[in-house]
Amino acid sequence: MKKLTIIFTLIFNLLAVSNVLAEEVEESFFIFEEVVVTASRYEELLSETFTSIEIIREEEIRERSVENVGDLLRDVSGVNINDNAGASGVKTISIRGSASEQVLVLIDGQPINEVQGGGIDLSLIPIEQIERIEVLKGPASAIYGANALGGVVNIITKRGTLDSQTTIKAGFASFDTQSYNLSHYNQQGDLGYSLNLNKKSSDGHRENSDLDQKNLFVRFDYPLSDSIDTRLSIQYDKADKGVPGSIQSASPKARQNDELLNLNFQGKRRTDNSDFKLTLHWRSDERDYKDPTWSTDDNHKRRRKGVNFNHRFYLQDHTIVYGLDLEEQKVDSTAYNEIYQLTNQAAFIQNKWSLTDDFIFNLGTRYDRHEEYGSNLSPRVGFLYNLNSNLSWYSSVGKAYRAPTFDDLYWPDSGNPDLNSEISKSYESGLRYIGDKTKLDFGVFYSHMDDMIAWVPNPTDENPWRWTPDNIDSAKIKGIELSFDKDLSGSLYSNFNYTYLDARDGDKERLANRPYHRANLGLSYNNKGTIVNLSNRLVVGRKDLPSYYLADFKILRELTSNAEIFFGVNNLFDREYEVQAGYPMPERNYKVELIKRF
């Protein structure tokens, strides 16, 4: 702890004297006031949202030089990445103590959570195609329906550019890890397009933790007229990896293959006081899992297709958005006795009412009708009051739900088709300050969840190890969040966030892997072709695992006007730690990357 205190003291002293380090910089590289789309499913200023939202911009993604979305989100306040360690380890997300199945993950507004188990492996999503990420913390079922009980992560992709841009990256890292990327952006006439190709391979830091991954993402943007825009994106992913399991129950021969194809079409029409948006999406993924040790050989084919329509219009002091969602999900799994297919229909409406220039009131609700588990109504009320031009107070209260997954409903000899949805009532209040070079967000939150789905022992004579799901659990989650971003000199930028979380079940026992305290401190220097980034992470007060502190160091240096070199060290002080019990994280490791632009 003494070393930890010294390290943090040195960092804060660096921040205090930072103005001396860079006195002549023309303009800041940090922008606070931004437009977001996730809070209401349409564009609005961050300063006018009535819930807590964090944005990771393209510049931040570039300077941090991580390889996937899971690594990118781990330093966001209120977010915990459940990491099974290493290149092949699954990375899922928890927001404010939620389960990973309770967080809705979107790409350009399209849900990408697995329909069979409800979660999503963020390690399989590369970052090169991403323009920015918006993280909405807290319930959002009033707009997005099921699986938005804990929050929403919206990944927004890049579009083509007027000037042709091509980038090639080649990276070499510890554990014989190699990564290659080709990115191309251009516009021919009215047609804009972007292309991203990725390939990554690694031996991994444990036995049977190797990875071979390929990704393709293509996006086309074409305006049919001055008021109508269309977009088509195609995504293909393939991954072959070892699945080593936990050190307590290792699976040294288990293998997993994932293959994904995703299509997304969007059309948008604008008028003087309204806009219409239509989205059609289709997603197919297949997983093969083999473990000779346990004679397991399963194949899972999942399909998800849907259509969404929403219309936003203005009426005096009101901004009203309403829409319809129709989605069909299908699972064909060798683990099941038959093929299952379910549909969900939904309608939502939200009214953002500017009562005065400084007071905004928001009321919304959504009605979902599911073929299997019935209907859910998810209302939400919020308001925002501008105390002055920079400082606002926001609060919201809402009801949200998480639908049972296919595994919950139909797993052979265990599934429970009579399950109800998990229900949450959540409250949030906070202060947000947005200045020219400073952003501060402080908030408190509380959630009470009922009918939580828990898998519990339910043995039979034929199967003494049988577990089944039931709506038997509840939870109370409360916490405090603080995030502080500061542009110290135009070239030196610091960010700090802290989360206090108290998550307990119905018996007042603490939920596993929900630490009391999480703190992140980052320092970035960007000037004259050099970007230096130092990040620090402290996790304290977990139920079953010890606390840990980590530091990562990264530097990106411009060699010529169109060439760069990157060097990074993860786990700088070579700590031994686990994020998930039984999954030791990699020791100190290194990466070098060469970047060439044309």
Side-chain angles (χ1 to χ4, degrees):
M1 183 57 70
K2 183 178 179 181
K3 290 183 179 179
L4 179 61
T5 303
I6 293 173
I7 291 168
F8 271 85
T9 302
L10 289 173
I11 293 172
F12 277 110
N13 284 335
L14 282 173
L15 298 181
V17 300
S18 59
N19 286 328
V20 180
L21 299 178
E23 297 178 350
E24 297 181 0
V25 178
E26 294 183 357
E27 61 177 331
S28 169
F29 69 95
F30 190 74
I31 302 172
F32 289 109
E33 182 59 304
E34 298 183 81
V35 172
V36 297
V37 298
T38 308
S40 301
R41 293 179 83 154
Y42 62 80
E43 292 183 351
E44 59 184 337
L45 292 176
L46 173 63
S47 59
E48 295 180 356
T49 60
F50 62 95
T51 189
S52 179
I53 294 183
E54 192 149 344
I55 304 168
I56 303 176
R57 300 182 297 114
E58 185 176 358
E59 181 66 27
E60 296 174 72
I61 297 172
R62 174 173 173 258
E63 70 180 36
R64 291 177 61 182
S65 295
V66 296
E67 294 187 353
N68 58 69
V69 171
D71 292 335
L72 190 61
L73 294 176
R74 66 175 70 252
D75 292 333
V76 174
S77 64
V79 167
N80 184 47
I81 298 299
N82 305 306
D83 194 338
N84 283 5
S88 68
V90 173
K91 295 176 175 60
T92 60
I93 185 171
S94 169
I95 298 179
R96 292 179 173 176
S98 72
S100 60
E101 298 84 3
Q102 297 169 340
V103 177
L104 180 65
V105 181
L106 313 169
I107 293 183
D108 292 328
Q110 173 189 342
I112 62 169
N113 296 65
E114 293 179 359
V115 299
Q116 187 173 356
I120 183 69
D121 184 0
L122 299 176
S123 71
L124 298 178
I125 307 176
I127 64 167
E128 283 79 11
Q129 69 198 47
I130 300 173
E131 178 183 292
R132 71 181 190 274
I133 299 178
E134 298 176 5
V135 181
L136 187 156
K137 292 173 282 187
S141 291
I143 291 291
Y144 293 102
N147 304 332
L149 185 149
V152 178
V153 176
N154 191 11
I155 301 165
I156 299 164
T157 62
K158 299 177 183 178
R159 61 177 299 158
T161 57
L162 287 174
D163 298 324
S164 177
Q165 299 179 13
T166 302
T167 302
I168 297 176
K169 297 181 181 180
F172 307 90
S174 302
F175 318 117
D176 197 19
T177 301
Q178 300 181 37
S179 58
Y180 304 94
N181 167 259
L182 169 65
S183 302
H184 180 67
Y185 307 92
N186 200 1
Q187 182 168 323
Q188 298 291 334
D190 291 331
L191 177 65
Y193 60 91
S194 62
L195 166 69
N196 272 277
L197 288 168
N198 292 277
K199 186 182 187 308
K200 180 181 179 181
S201 63
S202 176
D203 288 345
H205 72 296
R206 294 177 59 196
E207 180 185 359
N208 193 39
S209 64
D210 59 292
L211 172 70
D212 185 6
Q213 180 180 350
K214 303 177 182 67
N215 308 90
L216 166 67
F217 182 83
V218 185
R219 171 174 160 173
F220 302 95
D221 292 85
Y222 186 78
L224 297 178
S225 68
D226 291 339
S227 61
I228 300 177
D229 295 321
T230 61
R231 176 198 303 173
L232 173 66
S233 63
I234 303 169
Q235 179 185 356
Y236 175 77
D237 299 331
K238 185 176 178 59
D240 177 13
K241 62 183 180 179
V243 187
S246 69
I247 55 177
Q248 291 86 4
S249 56
S251 50
K253 297 182 180 180
R255 306 294 303 178
Q256 180 174 305
N257 292 278
D258 292 280
E259 190 168 10
L260 161 74
L261 179 62
N262 190 84
L263 304 176
N264 183 311
F265 173 81
Q266 296 183 12
K268 186 174 182 179
R269 179 177 182 268
R270 303 176 304 277
T271 64
D272 291 339
N273 63 349
S274 68
D275 56 62
F276 304 82
K277 186 176 181 181
L278 176 68
T279 302
L280 306 173
H281 59 86
W282 181 86
R283 185 179 183 87
S284 171
D285 66 272
E286 182 174 356
R287 172 172 296 168
D288 284 307
Y289 179 82
K290 295 179 173 63
D291 187 354
T293 304
W294 296 96
S295 301
T296 302
D297 187 355
D298 287 330
N299 175 266
H300 312 283
K301 297 177 181 178
R302 290 80 67 102
R303 305 288 185 272
R304 185 174 196 161
K305 59 183 179 181
V307 56
N308 164 259
F309 165 80
N310 65 281
H311 175 210
R312 176 183 62 158
F313 65 94
Y314 308 97
L315 183 64
Q316 293 182 343
D317 297 322
H318 299 264
T319 302
I320 299 173
V321 59
Y322 67 90
L324 301 172
D325 278 326
L326 176 63
E327 186 172 88
E328 179 184 275
Q329 302 177 356
K330 180 181 179 180
V331 174
D332 181 2
S333 170
T334 57
Y336 293 174
N337 295 321
E338 58 182 285
I339 298 173
Y340 291 99
Q341 181 173 302
L342 297 172
T343 60
N344 186 71
Q345 305 169 53
F348 64 91
I349 186 169
Q350 177 178 279
N351 181 12
K352 185 177 180 181
W353 182 12
S354 299
L355 293 168
T356 68
D357 291 340
D358 295 319
F359 187 80
I360 300 174
F361 178 77
N362 196 299
L363 175 63
T365 190
R366 173 172 165 134
Y367 175 79
D368 284 82
R369 177 65 181 174
H370 193 273
E371 181 178 350
E372 180 65 34
Y373 57 79
S375 60
N376 283 281
L377 187 67
S378 306
R380 181 175 63 174
V381 178
F383 72 85
L384 179 133
Y385 181 70
N386 293 313
L387 300 171
N388 57 45
S389 59
N390 300 111
L391 181 64
S392 59
W393 171 36
Y394 61 89
S395 291
S396 65
V397 55
K399 183 180 177 183
Y401 76 101
R402 200 272 288 187
T405 67
F406 278 87
D407 284 350
D408 293 331
L409 295 169
Y410 305 126
W411 193 262
D413 193 41
S414 299
N416 183 357
D418 297 323
L419 286 171
N420 297 319
S421 299
E422 297 177 340
I423 302 296
S424 169
K425 295 179 181 178
S426 300
Y427 309 84
E428 176 184 18
S429 187
L431 290 170
R432 180 188 295 127
Y433 176 85
I434 301 177
D436 292 336
K437 295 186 177 183
T438 303
K439 178 176 177 290
L440 175 67
D441 207 324
F442 173 80
V444 295
F445 56 88
Y446 172 80
S447 293
H448 183 192
M449 286 183 272
D450 289 315
D451 283 338
M452 288 185 64
I453 299 172
W455 285 71
V456 295
N458 189 6
T460 64
D461 293 337
E462 295 79 12
N463 186 358
W465 298 280
R466 181 172 178 257
W467 286 56
T468 60
D470 205 349
N471 297 106
I472 61 173
D473 212 349
S474 63
K476 292 183 179 181
I477 300 175
K478 58 185 177 182
I480 299 172
E481 285 177 357
L482 170 67
S483 63
F484 177 70
D485 301 321
K486 177 68 175 178
D487 186 345
L488 295 161
S489 65
S491 63
L492 193 64
Y493 158 63
S494 68
N495 63 284
F496 170 79
N497 63 66
Y498 165 76
T499 304
Y500 168 78
L501 181 71
D502 188 6
R504 300 179 183 270
D505 62 20
D507 296 325
K508 298 185 179 179
E509 295 292 327
R510 290 187 60 203
L511 299 180
N513 207 24
R514 273 78 167 182
Y516 275 134
H517 310 281
R518 290 181 60 89
N520 299 290
L521 175 64
L523 181 65
S524 296
Y525 175 77
N526 185 343
N527 192 25
K528 297 180 180 179
T530 300
I531 300 176
V532 181
N533 181 270
L534 176 65
S535 62
N536 303 267
R537 186 179 316 120
L538 179 66
V539 177
V540 176
R542 293 186 291 176
K543 178 183 177 181
D544 302 316
L545 290 169
S547 304
Y548 65 88
Y549 161 74
L550 293 176
D552 298 332
F553 174 81
K554 298 173 182 179
I555 181 168
L556 182 69
R557 175 63 183 173
E558 184 178 290
L559 300 176
T560 67
S561 59
N562 56 11
E564 298 171 330
I565 185 170
F566 165 83
F567 174 73
V569 184
N570 297 314
N571 194 0
L572 186 62
F573 300 111
D574 201 20
R575 304 288 189 181
E576 293 184 6
Y577 71 104
E578 295 177 0
V579 176
Q580 292 279 86
Y583 291 87
M585 296 293 289
E587 62 266 26
R588 182 192 297 121
N589 56 93
Y590 308 87
K591 179 182 178 181
V592 175
E593 187 173 57
L594 302 175
I595 305 162
K596 176 68 174 179
R597 294 184 171 86
F598 302 91

